Amino acid sequence: MELIIENGILVTGRDIFKADIMLKNGKIAAIGSDFAEQPGERINADGKYIMPGAVDVHTHIDLQAGDYHTSDDFFTGTRAALCGGTTTVVEHLAFGPEGCSLRSRINEYKTAAKDKAVSDYGLHGVIQHVDADILREMGELAAEGISSFKIYMTYDFALADADILRVLEKGGELGTVTAVHCENDSIINYLRGRFAAENKKTPFYHALSRPAECETEAVCRVLRLAHMAGDAPIYIVHLSTEGGLNAVREARARGQRNIYTETCPQYLLLDENCYSNRDAVKYIMSPPLRKAADQAALWKGLSDGSIDIIATDHCPFSTADKLRGERDFTECPNGAPGVEERVMAIFSAGVAAGKITLNKFVETLCINPSRIYGLYPRKGNLLPGSDADIMIINEKGETDFSDAGLHGSAGYSLYGQKKMTGRMDAVIRRGDIVYAEDRFIGQKGTGLFIERRICR
């Protein structure tokens, strides 16, 4: 059946204009103003923004971290994504057993998502060790639509610099993107041990154990390694500091190519004062929340194009699990929910507050994630032939992320005390209305695995 959205204001990365949009067979069929005689269901979007479905390229929906498992699975996590306007996610896999293959983890996640996901989804390979077999698998998986790989500079499977270089060299050869969690593992472990010995274990010390310099140093180091690898494509996840952002700017100014950057709503809307709250344990994440000066620098980085993408690092744990770290932050699982809140939080704090334009909003939440990670032109844009993924936003509405209205399983939001300007009126995924009138109306298991191939 055809679906026609009438009288809306279409927003792309460059333009804002009034038009109608016709959806047919899961695709955008046409954009114009001459569909009056066309049969089909109609949505009157008078005065509302019609935007591409958002793309979140950094989620941990289904993750086992030691003794803890995220509160979501692929149904509840992708349901939350859809209700927040995100029609496609690209999931970062959890670590597997020591020595496991890349393919084994990919297969496990495809199985976990297959009958549950309601948004469309892709997968990043996660590299825990480096040998000839892993490098061979990178090439095989890239040919099968897994065109990005994640490495860590901290945690149990942190890679040494020589292994990072090997991965970057292989990624450069394949044209794949290497996403990197940048923190100095040695310094973090030293500070965590020192604070534990001094019985300084409240959530406040979580932030102190991962200072801004740990991120900045790691960003500088991995950018140099990417340059050594022939300017291999590199993507800095969850950038949280002014120092890290400046390191990216300096590398680009030196002429280094293929550098991509991401920040997250929590680093734009929240700061280190949250660790003095009674709910401080809920804000334990890595990297931690930073100073207000870092927050201001990140907004500037978005507006001037230094930061390419706003993703979430959605990694929700139950309140009960988080509270296990109330007296000892080292016992708390790292992470927080955010996939449902991202779009409206950034619309409110960014667009409505005048910090970014509507075009930049679409660019950083829809177009750039799609282009950088091999989803374009199928996802993240309003073009005939692209998937009919649409979000309709009413700028005159209001959003309240109260516990009762959430569609994920964490049971709380980091932004629960904030009223957001604007409201998500409807979400359409591949031509089907999946969210309308504050209700999820999609069907479990209808999300598709999307192969991603990067062309440069």
Side-chain angles (χ1 to χ4, degrees), residues 104-117:
S104 66
R105 301 300 291 152
I106 295 291
N107 289 344
E108 287 176 26
Y109 268 72
K110 282 185 175 180
T111 298
K114 184 174 182 294
D115 296 320
K116 291 183 179 180

PDB file of all heavy atoms in Angstrom, residues 104-117:
ATOM      1  N   SER A 104      32.421 -16.281  14.989  1.00  0.00           N
ATOM      2  CA  SER A 104      31.579 -16.919  16.005  1.00  0.00           C
ATOM      3  C   SER A 104      30.712 -15.892  16.719  1.00  0.00           C
ATOM      4  O   SER A 104      29.534 -16.130  16.985  1.00  0.00           O
ATOM      5  CB  SER A 104      32.440 -17.689  17.011  1.00  0.00           C
ATOM      6  OG  SER A 104      33.252 -16.798  17.773  1.00  0.00           O
ATOM      7  N   ARG A 105      31.284 -14.730  17.006  1.00  0.00           N
ATOM      8  CA  ARG A 105      30.517 -13.681  17.696  1.00  0.00           C
ATOM      9  C   ARG A 105      29.451 -13.089  16.765  1.00  0.00           C
ATOM     10  O   ARG A 105      28.321 -12.828  17.191  1.00  0.00           O
ATOM     11  CB  ARG A 105      31.444 -12.573  18.196  1.00  0.00           C
ATOM     12  CG  ARG A 105      32.516 -13.052  19.143  1.00  0.00           C
ATOM     13  CD  ARG A 105      31.928 -13.689  20.389  1.00  0.00           C
ATOM     14  NE  ARG A 105      31.263 -12.700  21.226  1.00  0.00           N
ATOM     15  CZ  ARG A 105      30.255 -12.967  22.042  1.00  0.00           C
ATOM     16  NH1 ARG A 105      29.764 -14.186  22.116  1.00  0.00           N
ATOM     17  NH2 ARG A 105      29.724 -12.010  22.783  1.00  0.00           N
ATOM     18  N   ILE A 106      29.822 -12.869  15.521  1.00  0.00           N
ATOM     19  CA  ILE A 106      28.854 -12.348  14.551  1.00  0.00           C
ATOM     20  C   ILE A 106      27.665 -13.305  14.424  1.00  0.00           C
ATOM     21  O   ILE A 106      26.496 -12.888  14.450  1.00  0.00           O
ATOM     22  CB  ILE A 106      29.513 -12.138  13.174  1.00  0.00           C
ATOM     23  CG1 ILE A 106      30.586 -11.039  13.240  1.00  0.00           C
ATOM     24  CG2 ILE A 106      28.469 -11.837  12.115  1.00  0.00           C
ATOM     25  CD1 ILE A 106      30.064  -9.650  13.461  1.00  0.00           C
ATOM     26  N   ASN A 107      27.937 -14.584  14.319  1.00  0.00           N
ATOM     27  CA  ASN A 107      26.863 -15.569  14.174  1.00  0.00           C
ATOM     28  C   ASN A 107      25.960 -15.594  15.407  1.00  0.00           C
ATOM     29  O   ASN A 107      24.736 -15.719  15.296  1.00  0.00           O
ATOM     30  CB  ASN A 107      27.445 -16.956  13.926  1.00  0.00           C
ATOM     31  CG  ASN A 107      28.073 -17.080  12.538  1.00  0.00           C
ATOM     32  OD1 ASN A 107      27.824 -16.251  11.670  1.00  0.00           O
ATOM     33  ND2 ASN A 107      28.893 -18.096  12.344  1.00  0.00           N
ATOM     34  N   GLU A 108      26.560 -15.492  16.600  1.00  0.00           N
ATOM     35  CA  GLU A 108      25.758 -15.481  17.826  1.00  0.00           C
ATOM     36  C   GLU A 108      24.820 -14.278  17.852  1.00  0.00           C
ATOM     37  O   GLU A 108      23.649 -14.392  18.240  1.00  0.00           O
ATOM     38  CB  GLU A 108      26.677 -15.454  19.047  1.00  0.00           C
ATOM     39  CG  GLU A 108      27.387 -16.766  19.328  1.00  0.00           C
ATOM     40  CD  GLU A 108      28.352 -16.661  20.493  1.00  0.00           C
ATOM     41  OE1 GLU A 108      28.128 -15.801  21.365  1.00  0.00           O
ATOM     42  OE2 GLU A 108      29.335 -17.424  20.516  1.00  0.00           O
ATOM     43  N   TYR A 109      25.316 -13.125  17.424  1.00  0.00           N
ATOM     44  CA  TYR A 109      24.482 -11.919  17.452  1.00  0.00           C
ATOM     45  C   TYR A 109      23.404 -11.951  16.376  1.00  0.00           C
ATOM     46  O   TYR A 109      22.278 -11.466  16.595  1.00  0.00           O
ATOM     47  CB  TYR A 109      25.362 -10.669  17.326  1.00  0.00           C
ATOM     48  CG  TYR A 109      25.767 -10.131  18.678  1.00  0.00           C
ATOM     49  CD1 TYR A 109      26.697 -10.795  19.465  1.00  0.00           C
ATOM     50  CD2 TYR A 109      25.201  -8.971  19.187  1.00  0.00           C
ATOM     51  CE1 TYR A 109      27.061 -10.321  20.708  1.00  0.00           C
ATOM     52  CE2 TYR A 109      25.557  -8.474  20.434  1.00  0.00           C
ATOM     53  CZ  TYR A 109      26.485  -9.156  21.195  1.00  0.00           C
ATOM     54  OH  TYR A 109      26.829  -8.681  22.437  1.00  0.00           O
ATOM     55  N   LYS A 110      23.722 -12.490  15.224  1.00  0.00           N
ATOM     56  CA  LYS A 110      22.679 -12.621  14.200  1.00  0.00           C
ATOM     57  C   LYS A 110      21.541 -13.508  14.707  1.00  0.00           C
ATOM     58  O   LYS A 110      20.359 -13.215  14.482  1.00  0.00           O
ATOM     59  CB  LYS A 110      23.272 -13.202  12.921  1.00  0.00           C
ATOM     60  CG  LYS A 110      24.057 -12.207  12.090  1.00  0.00           C
ATOM     61  CD  LYS A 110      24.503 -12.846  10.788  1.00  0.00           C
ATOM     62  CE  LYS A 110      25.193 -11.856   9.881  1.00  0.00           C
ATOM     63  NZ  LYS A 110      25.637 -12.481   8.608  1.00  0.00           N
ATOM     64  N   THR A 111      21.898 -14.572  15.409  1.00  0.00           N
ATOM     65  CA  THR A 111      20.883 -15.460  15.967  1.00  0.00           C
ATOM     66  C   THR A 111      20.063 -14.753  17.041  1.00  0.00           C
ATOM     67  O   THR A 111      18.829 -14.879  17.090  1.00  0.00           O
ATOM     68  CB  THR A 111      21.549 -16.715  16.561  1.00  0.00           C
ATOM     69  OG1 THR A 111      22.230 -17.417  15.517  1.00  0.00           O
ATOM     70  CG2 THR A 111      20.516 -17.638  17.194  1.00  0.00           C
ATOM     71  N   ALA A 112      20.738 -13.994  17.904  1.00  0.00           N
ATOM     72  CA  ALA A 112      20.046 -13.291  18.990  1.00  0.00           C
ATOM     73  C   ALA A 112      19.069 -12.246  18.467  1.00  0.00           C
ATOM     74  O   ALA A 112      18.022 -12.000  19.070  1.00  0.00           O
ATOM     75  CB  ALA A 112      21.070 -12.640  19.915  1.00  0.00           C
ATOM     76  N   ALA A 113      19.403 -11.615  17.337  1.00  0.00           N
ATOM     77  CA  ALA A 113      18.577 -10.526  16.821  1.00  0.00           C
ATOM     78  C   ALA A 113      17.480 -10.997  15.888  1.00  0.00           C
ATOM     79  O   ALA A 113      16.450 -10.324  15.743  1.00  0.00           O
ATOM     80  CB  ALA A 113      19.468  -9.523  16.085  1.00  0.00           C
ATOM     81  N   LYS A 114      17.664 -12.125  15.264  1.00  0.00           N
ATOM     82  CA  LYS A 114      16.852 -12.533  14.113  1.00  0.00           C
ATOM     83  C   LYS A 114      15.348 -12.486  14.366  1.00  0.00           C
ATOM     84  O   LYS A 114      14.587 -11.961  13.556  1.00  0.00           O
ATOM     85  CB  LYS A 114      17.264 -13.928  13.660  1.00  0.00           C
ATOM     86  CG  LYS A 114      16.550 -14.418  12.399  1.00  0.00           C
ATOM     87  CD  LYS A 114      17.121 -15.746  11.946  1.00  0.00           C
ATOM     88  CE  LYS A 114      16.455 -16.232  10.666  1.00  0.00           C
ATOM     89  NZ  LYS A 114      15.043 -16.556  10.860  1.00  0.00           N
ATOM     90  N   ASP A 115      14.867 -13.034  15.441  1.00  0.00           N
ATOM     91  CA  ASP A 115      13.424 -13.097  15.688  1.00  0.00           C
ATOM     92  C   ASP A 115      12.944 -12.058  16.706  1.00  0.00           C
ATOM     93  O   ASP A 115      11.807 -12.129  17.169  1.00  0.00           O
ATOM     94  CB  ASP A 115      13.043 -14.499  16.176  1.00  0.00           C
ATOM     95  CG  ASP A 115      13.300 -15.560  15.117  1.00  0.00           C
ATOM     96  OD1 ASP A 115      13.035 -15.279  13.937  1.00  0.00           O
ATOM     97  OD2 ASP A 115      13.794 -16.651  15.461  1.00  0.00           O
ATOM     98  N   LYS A 116      13.829 -11.122  17.038  1.00  0.00           N
ATOM     99  CA  LYS A 116      13.477 -10.124  18.051  1.00  0.00           C
ATOM    100  C   LYS A 116      13.508  -8.687  17.537  1.00  0.00           C
ATOM    101  O   LYS A 116      12.653  -7.874  17.900  1.00  0.00           O
ATOM    102  CB  LYS A 116      14.420 -10.252  19.254  1.00  0.00           C
ATOM    103  CG  LYS A 116      14.227 -11.520  20.059  1.00  0.00           C
ATOM    104  CD  LYS A 116      15.158 -11.529  21.274  1.00  0.00           C
ATOM    105  CE  LYS A 116      14.958 -12.797  22.111  1.00  0.00           C
ATOM    106  NZ  LYS A 116      15.859 -12.824  23.287  1.00  0.00           N
ATOM    107  N   ALA A 117      14.496  -8.344  16.739  1.00  0.00           N
ATOM    108  CA  ALA A 117      14.712  -6.941  16.376  1.00  0.00           C
ATOM    109  C   ALA A 117      13.508  -6.360  15.641  1.00  0.00           C
ATOM    110  O   ALA A 117      12.888  -7.026  14.805  1.00  0.00           O
ATOM    111  CB  ALA A 117      15.967  -6.807  15.527  1.00  0.00           C
TER     112      ALA A 117
END
